[in-house]
Amino acid sequence: MGILGEIVRKPDEIYPLLKLKMAVKKAKKQVPPEPHWGFCYSTLHKVSKSFSLVIQQLGTELRNAVCVFYLILRALDTIEDDTSIQPDVKLPILIAFHHHISERGTNEYRVLMDQFRHVSAAFLELEKGYQEAVEDITKRMGAGMAKFICQELALLNLLRCNPLPHPPRMKCPNENYCSIHFVETVDDYDEYCHYAAGLVGLGLSKLFLISQLEVMTPDWEQLSNSMGLFLQKTNIIRDYIEDINEIPKPRMFWPCEIWGKYVDKLEDLKSEENSSKAVQCLNDMVTNALVHIEDCMKYMDALRDPAIFRLCAIPQIMAIGTLALCYNNAQVFRGVVKIRPGLTAKIVNHGKTMADVYGAFYDFSCMLKAKVDKNCPNSSSTLTRLEAVQKVCRDSGVLHKRKSYIRDEVKSNRLMCG
């Protein structure tokens, strides 16, 4: 359905869309005049419009720290994601990257970002505490990414040295397309997501603490990690088709422990003839992600600063909405599914209080619950986790304050792609 058709079908989304568009334009005009800061904020707008908006609402000191932190980790992630870079080249870059984020004029990582020197210059203007936190998380993330690349290389070498018989789940049809899986178990999956996103949650919490705008609960590290894992797992589920079709080599993050119950190879989920099994596997993956929701709500409920709250809450609401869209949806194996722009605009516009969060999580979980097929092998676990989420939301005592925009989606049980 085209944009005009969406407007006709959902006229109530016109105002939120216009408001979001105006906010994006305003944010672009607020780019600092200094070349290095101008580069940082302009780049932030390009790589993540919605995230840049909520960052812009932070106080200047924290806003600059979060902006630089995001760009440095985005740069590191770009290296890790680039399948055209040979592992023997990639490994030392990932491991040593944290040493170079403070070097003015560094040209060593042009493969990552031609003008990274601007990010380095901005980094050097941050308060020392922010610098130390950013460098520590960058170091830990680079080391974690390198660890999984080493595991992948070890499996490749094993296959080359012992081509017959292949180890279980590791089939190597040729040198250019090797369907090995370095994320074997659910524990591997959690560890990978920790390095890819859990550390981002930990890093942001550290920045909030340094700013003195937040005072974290004793279990803040666990809760911060869960915030990152929930977002990362949602992205991995949603991006199946993009990752599996990556050239020159597929990127495979779904754990063998889950997909191995349904198919022989992860790429088999794309096949039409495996549609039923693929959807069951997808539902299993969504159920795995749901386990983090209670931690996420607990983390957000403890936040005090309104701008920090929005920075954390809006992505989380988008995540539960995306999982509700993906669940039991074979389209995940045909193309990337996304919440339509109009609903995204409403979430950005209304995600301001914990009542909004509880309401959104409750209503999206109701939508997801309505899609559960009792014949699905994992349906009992799915329902148990959803009911636990709904209980927390009900116990908050604020569901009567929730906005109606999500309840409309629940009633129609439709969440159309944009």
Side-chain angles (χ1 to χ4, degrees), residues 238-276:
R238 181 199 63 195
D239 295 340
Y240 168 86
I241 201 68
E242 279 192 352
D243 290 338
I244 207 73
N245 289 337
E246 182 74 26
I247 296 174
K249 188 180 72 171
R251 298 166 61 221
M252 300 181 177
F253 304 115
W254 290 32
C256 178
E257 186 177 339
I258 290 180
W259 62 257
K261 294 184 288 186
Y262 305 95
V263 290
D264 290 330
K265 295 183 295 182
L266 181 57
E267 53 267 36
D268 289 346
L269 295 174
K270 292 191 298 180
S271 173
E272 290 279 359
E273 64 186 31
N274 292 323
S275 182
S276 177

Side-chain angles (χ1 to χ4, degrees), residues 136-342:
D136 173 61
I137 295 298
T138 305
K139 177 181 178 180
R140 293 164 65 182
M141 183 178 287
M145 290 175 171
K147 175 182 177 179
F148 277 90
I149 291 174
C150 287
Q151 289 180 5
E152 182 178 2
L153 286 172
L155 292 175
L156 274 170
N157 291 332
L158 176 63
L159 290 175
R160 288 168 180 157
C161 295
N162 304 284
L164 291 174
H166 285 306
R169 306 286 176 205
M170 301 174 192
K171 302 178 181 180
C172 190
N174 58 58
E175 288 293 317
N176 297 319
Y177 186 93
C178 184
S179 43
I180 63 160
H181 303 278
F182 61 90
V183 183
E184 288 288 317
T185 68
V186 171
D187 285 343
D188 290 338
Y189 182 45
D190 285 345
E191 184 181 10
Y192 175 78
C193 290
H194 165 72
Y195 288 125
L199 285 174
V200 180
L202 286 165
L204 285 173
S205 292
K206 286 187 174 184
L207 298 183
F208 300 158
L209 285 168
I210 293 167
S211 72
Q212 298 185 343
L213 293 172
E214 297 292 349
V215 178
M216 296 294 171
T217 58
D219 54 352
W220 69 272
E221 292 189 2
Q222 173 194 322
L223 303 182
S224 300
N225 188 59
S226 291
M227 291 280 285
L229 263 62
F230 185 58
L231 298 182
Q232 182 69 10
K233 289 184 176 182
T234 299
N235 291 339
I236 286 173
I237 292 167
R238 181 199 63 195
D239 295 340
Y240 168 86
I241 201 68
E242 279 192 352
D243 290 338
I244 207 73
N245 289 337
E246 182 74 26
I247 296 174
K249 188 180 72 171
R251 298 166 61 221
M252 300 181 177
F253 304 115
W254 290 32
C256 178
E257 186 177 339
I258 290 180
W259 62 257
K261 294 184 288 186
Y262 305 95
V263 290
D264 290 330
K265 295 183 295 182
L266 181 57
E267 53 267 36
D268 289 346
L269 295 174
K270 292 191 298 180
S271 173
E272 290 279 359
E273 64 186 31
N274 292 323
S275 182
S276 177
K277 291 181 179 179
V279 168
Q280 290 180 355
C281 180
L282 168 64
N283 294 345
D284 208 339
M285 288 289 291
V286 172
T287 302
N288 172 272
L290 295 177
V291 74
H292 304 292
I293 291 181
E294 290 177 74
D295 275 357
C296 293
M297 290 192 291
K298 184 177 180 182
Y299 179 92
M300 290 182 283
D301 192 40
L303 295 174
R304 305 182 306 177
D305 183 83
I308 290 176
F309 178 84
R310 282 175 57 78
L311 175 71
C312 297
I314 290 173
Q316 296 290 325
I317 296 174
M318 292 291 293
I320 183 64
T322 299
L323 290 182
L325 170 60
C326 289
Y327 188 86
N328 219 36
N329 185 355
Q331 184 61 27
V332 170
F333 304 103
R334 311 289 175 259
V336 175
V337 294
K338 292 182 179 180
I339 295 175
R340 66 175 187 275

Side-chain angles (χ1 to χ4, degrees), residues 370-381:
K371 298 169 70 175
V372 174
D373 181 355
K374 297 294 179 64
N375 295 318
C376 187
N378 214 40
S379 62
S380 178
S381 296

